[in-house]
Amino acid sequence: MHILKSTSLIIFMVIISTTLSAQEKIAFKVSFLEPKAHYADVEMDISGLKDDQIDLKMPVWTPGSYLIREFAKNVEGFQVSGASGGALSFSKVNKNTWRINTAKNSAIKVKYRVYSFEISVRTSFVDESHAFLSPAGLFLYPAGKLKMPSTVTIIPHANWTKISTGLDKVAGKENTFAASDFDILYDSPIEVGNQDIFEFTAAGVNHEVAMYGGGNYDKEVLKRDIAKIVHEQTKVFGVNPNKRYVFIVHNFNSGGGGLEHLNSTVLGATRNAYNTEVGLLRFLGLVSHEYFHLWNVKRLRPIALGPFNYDEENYTTNLWIAEGFTAYYQDVFTQRAGLQTPERFIASLASAISTVENTPGNRVETVADASFDAWIKQYRPNENSPNSTISYYSKGSLIALIMDLEIIHSTQGKAGLDEVMKAMYDEYYVKKKRGYTDAEFKAMAEKIAGHSLTNIYNDYINGLKTIDYNKYFDYAGLAITNEAAQSNEPYLGIATALREGKMIISQVARGSGAWNDGLNVNDEIISIDNYTIAKTKTGNTEMLKYVAGRSVGEKARVTVIRDGQEKVIDVNLGRNPAVKYSISALQNPSAAQMAVRKRWLKLE
């Protein structure tokens, strides 16, 4: 009996071993034969093949950046060989799919080059100084097999000595990293070069900061301040989901932007702004934004954003939560961490409100629609975008603000938006292991608030009503004032740009005199009345001064060149509708109002 059991066990283990050895395996190798020409050279080894053909695909977008970017356009020199080294046939069956005839080969090698010369946090870039690899635009995947694991071996170019990535190292293999599936691979950017690396520990997590491009940053200051942000954010959720986290920072003469990943982020920064109060706070705000995405988006996310479809758009109406709430919290946490004062935080809210209310598109497009249409509008703005769209970042942050104040007020300080985010994280990411629907987020927020939030949804999220800011600020003993309310400044309604020595209209504001009376984008302004507009950098300023000297209701005779022909257009000067908000404390706030303010700002 014992012998039979042992024999059965041996047979079982052999079967398992044979099955595993026969499974498909994928190994990538990336080298840089011509970095000055901006190429990454990729080899993809696939073994364990059984089918006569295999389709290899490249994503058309990268998660976190909602635009079809057509990464396959950068692929060159595609070739395939079998186990013996002979060439195998293949065909391109659509824009991002290569169909390979395996010719009964169980193992094949695919080689291709990727042109990498777009500076952004979401696209690969290679030159003689470094390589930034954005995996969604670099690595192919077998159709229908996104769950396959893979390894990536990096062969740095001469004189490059460092690799920074959130991927796990493969023991015993130099510069080789492992991804458990393609979602993980596509979510793990790689920096290769001579970046300045320093580390710190916060919330029990080891953090690596990889600085490319130099800069006047103080490592100790960044370690201290970023750690404060990490601690404050972790406190909300009670858990930090990583053991290790990587910041890849690209420092430029003028840089910005960020892209979140599961255990890393890529940030753009201005290299010589770290030693100024404004520059440092701007960078720390970006850090705060992308780090908060660890919970909000990378784990707690709209149900449409995972599992990802890399072939086409992934639509959701909830980017106002995914990005807008994160935009709100980025400043909340720099304030809680003591990196900016409550007064400065409140002033930044006034500025954000002014920006949204000065955007005509805020009265045309709902924030839910802005989320859904991100794929065709957010990343493809044109001269009319301010008139027809609103940013789900900026408007979403204001929705977060009023929800926070509403919930703190209605629960008498027992809960706020923090509790909504934690409850959603626990329920949908931890417990149900899926994304949430719009209705589910609303239901949780209402549960925490203790009452319906339908009015906020109907009026401000799915509707176009102007937010009643004073209602919500009053909860905290604050008042918002439009400092421009009494202004009677005349307004033409255009923005201009100096192009090739010509003063060109670049935007026309909806509802303005220019809009109503027919000035067009791309018109060259020659004169207003008999006042000739200077074709210099000071020309726009001079024009604004001239218009400011007129009166509301008067007509301005504007001479322009349109398509080579001179036109004279009489424009009615309206009142400048721009708002400029400030927020101040009420003189005699009640105890209830002070309790809301203290809970909101986490004041002692």
Side-chain angles (χ1 to χ4, degrees):
M1 187 70 174
H2 179 72
I3 295 175
L4 286 174
K5 283 185 177 179
S6 298
T7 302
S8 298
L9 180 61
I10 292 171
I11 294 171
F12 177 73
M13 293 301 293
V14 168
I15 292 172
I16 292 294
S17 177
T18 302
T19 301
L20 289 173
S21 65
Q23 288 180 344
E24 291 182 27
K25 295 180 180 179
I26 295 177
F28 293 100
K29 185 183 294 182
V30 185
S31 57
F32 309 94
L33 303 180
E34 293 184 290
K36 292 181 180 180
H38 317 298
Y39 281 95
D41 296 273
V42 183
E43 292 184 14
M44 180 183 190
D45 288 299
I46 310 174
S47 59
L49 294 172
K50 303 180 185 67
D51 297 327
D52 293 336
Q53 69 178 31
I54 182 173
D55 284 355
L56 298 181
K57 304 178 72 68
M58 179 165 279
V60 300
W61 70 291
T62 188
S65 182
Y66 307 102
L67 175 69
I68 299 300
R69 296 186 181 274
E70 310 294 18
F71 291 122
K73 70 180 181 291
N74 294 318
V75 173
E76 299 178 19
F78 194 93
Q79 54 184 290
V80 189
S81 59
S84 62
L88 298 180
S89 63
F90 65 88
S91 60
K92 191 87 175 286
V93 295
N94 60 36
K95 65 181 181 180
N96 66 320
T97 307
W98 290 260
R99 179 163 295 163
I100 298 168
N101 178 6
T102 64
K104 306 300 183 182
N105 279 271
S106 61
I108 63 173
K109 182 185 292 289
V110 181
K111 292 184 178 182
Y112 55 95
R113 315 187 79 193
V114 179
Y115 182 68
S116 307
F117 196 54
E118 181 180 349
I119 294 178
S120 82
V121 296
R122 63 193 70 85
T123 50
S124 295
F125 181 90
V126 178
D127 69 7
E128 68 275 11
S129 66
H130 80 130
F132 170 63
L133 306 179
S134 182
L138 194 71
F139 298 118
L140 302 171
Y141 70 92
K145 298 179 180 180
L146 286 168
K147 293 301 181 183
M148 284 187 65
S150 62
T151 61
V152 177
T153 299
I154 303 295
I155 303 175
H157 190 63
N159 301 321
W160 294 354
T161 61
K162 299 175 183 177
I163 301 172
S164 298
T165 180
L167 290 171
D168 292 329
K169 292 182 179 179
V170 175
K173 292 187 177 181
E174 186 178 12
N175 298 337
T176 299
F177 305 87
S180 57
D181 57 44
F182 276 90
D183 287 324
I184 295 296
L185 179 60
Y186 291 148
D187 209 18
S188 303
I190 305 169
E191 175 70 21
V192 190
N194 297 306
Q195 58 270 26
D196 181 19
I197 295 175
F198 57 93
E199 298 181 346
F200 66 92
T201 299
V205 178
N206 180 56
H207 294 78
E208 173 186 324
V209 182
M211 288 282 196
Y212 163 77
N216 59 7
Y217 53 87
D218 184 319
K219 296 180 186 180
E220 296 308 314
V221 168
L222 292 184
K223 289 179 187 180
R224 178 196 68 199
D225 291 350
I226 297 174
K228 290 178 181 179
I229 293 170
V230 171
H231 282 298
E232 289 297 331
Q233 294 190 1
T234 302
K235 280 164 58 176
V236 170
F237 296 93
V239 61
N240 195 302
N242 290 311
K243 294 181 179 179
R244 178 173 173 270
Y245 187 90
V246 179
F247 294 95
I248 297 174
V249 185
H250 293 153
N251 292 296
F252 300 107
N253 185 52
S254 179
L259 189 64
E260 70 275 5
H261 297 282
L262 199 65
N263 66 346
S264 64
T265 186
V266 185
L267 309 175
T270 299
R271 66 168 59 93
N272 290 320
Y274 291 96
N275 64 347
T276 67
E277 182 181 9
V278 171
L280 179 60
L281 184 58
R282 183 179 294 118
F283 176 74
L284 293 172
L286 181 60
V287 167
S288 179
H289 183 105
E290 300 306 333
Y291 202 85
F292 191 68
H293 274 316
L294 276 188
W295 296 274
N296 190 31
V297 173
K298 297 315 301 181
R299 290 166 176 85
L300 170 64
R301 61 191 184 192
I303 199 163
L305 299 183
F308 295 115
N309 180 345
Y310 294 102
D311 267 349
E312 59 186 36
E313 297 88 346
N314 292 220
Y315 293 103
T316 175
T317 57
N318 293 133
L319 292 181
W320 59 271
I321 301 173
E323 290 293 354
F325 278 31
T326 304
Y328 170 67
Y329 269 112
Q330 73 179 52
D331 294 329
V332 166
F333 287 116
T334 55
Q335 186 264 317
R336 289 184 188 174
L339 304 176
Q340 67 170 328
T341 64
E343 292 76 17
R344 186 167 188 162
F345 168 61
I346 290 172
S348 72
L349 292 175
S351 178
I353 292 169
S354 298
T355 297
V356 168
E357 296 305 328
N358 283 330
T359 304
N362 183 42
R363 291 170 284 281
V364 176
E365 181 182 51
T366 71
V367 73
D369 286 343
S371 299
F372 192 85
D373 282 341
W375 298 92
I376 57 174
K377 293 184 178 182
Q378 176 68 22
Y379 294 94
R380 290 174 174 163
N382 61 26
E383 68 280 352
N384 196 48
S385 292
N387 292 318
S388 60
T389 66
I390 190 63
S391 166
Y392 49 78
Y393 284 85
S394 55
K395 184 66 175 285
S397 71
L398 301 185
I399 300 299
L401 165 67
I402 65 172
M403 275 195 180
D404 201 4
L405 289 170
E406 176 65 33
I407 295 168
I408 294 172
H409 168 73
S410 63
T411 63
Q412 297 181 324
K414 295 182 178 66
L417 193 59
D418 287 6
E419 283 69 25
V420 175
M421 300 305 288
K422 184 180 188 308
M424 289 294 295
Y425 180 85
D426 291 343
E427 180 69 16
Y428 291 97
Y429 174 69
V430 176
K431 182 180 177 181
K432 294 186 176 178
K433 303 184 187 307
R434 66 167 175 84
Y436 59 83
T437 66
D438 186 51
E440 288 168 338
F441 191 95
K442 179 175 182 287
M444 183 66 78
E446 291 176 333
K447 178 181 178 181
I448 301 296
H451 64 80
S452 172
L453 298 176
T454 295
N455 286 346
I456 288 178
Y457 271 79
N458 287 348
D459 292 347
Y460 309 139
I461 297 169
N462 299 311
L464 294 170
K465 286 189 177 181
T466 299
I467 294 174
D468 185 355
Y469 298 104
N470 259 321
K471 169 186 174 180
Y472 299 99
F473 281 122
D474 185 69
Y475 292 154
L478 302 170
I480 186 168
T481 303
N482 176 16
E483 296 178 358
Q486 303 305 314
S487 171
N488 200 36
E489 176 186 323
Y491 173 66
L492 191 58
I494 61 172
T496 62
L498 188 64
R499 299 176 189 165
E500 299 179 350
K502 299 176 181 180
M503 190 60 65
I504 304 297
I505 297 177
S506 57
Q507 287 183 1
V508 177
R510 181 185 293 272
S512 66
W515 173 282
N516 294 328
D517 295 321
L519 288 181
N520 287 184
V521 166
N522 295 327
D523 283 352
E524 178 191 354
I525 297 183
I526 304 301
S527 65
I528 299 179
D529 298 329
N530 294 318
Y531 181 79
T532 301
I533 304 302
K535 298 178 181 180
T536 66
K537 290 182 179 180
T538 63
N540 186 60
T541 301
E542 293 174 7
M543 179 177 67
L544 292 175
K545 286 182 178 180
Y546 177 79
V547 171
R550 304 292 301 277
S551 298
V552 173
E554 291 184 347
K555 286 182 182 279
R557 174 154 289 192
V558 183
T559 301
V560 301
I561 299 294
R562 182 182 300 171
D563 190 30
Q565 296 180 330
E566 185 175 293
K567 294 181 68 72
V568 177
I569 300 172
D570 289 335
V571 178
N572 287 285
L573 296 177
R575 176 186 172 276
N576 192 336
V579 298
K580 184 181 180 182
Y581 284 112
S582 62
I583 300 170
S584 57
L586 299 180
Q587 287 190 347
N588 298 298
S590 67
Q593 288 173 319
M594 285 306 300
V596 170
R597 190 190 305 177
K598 288 179 179 179
R599 173 62 164 77
W600 176 46
L601 298 174
K602 294 291 190 285
L603 301 175
E604 296 298 331

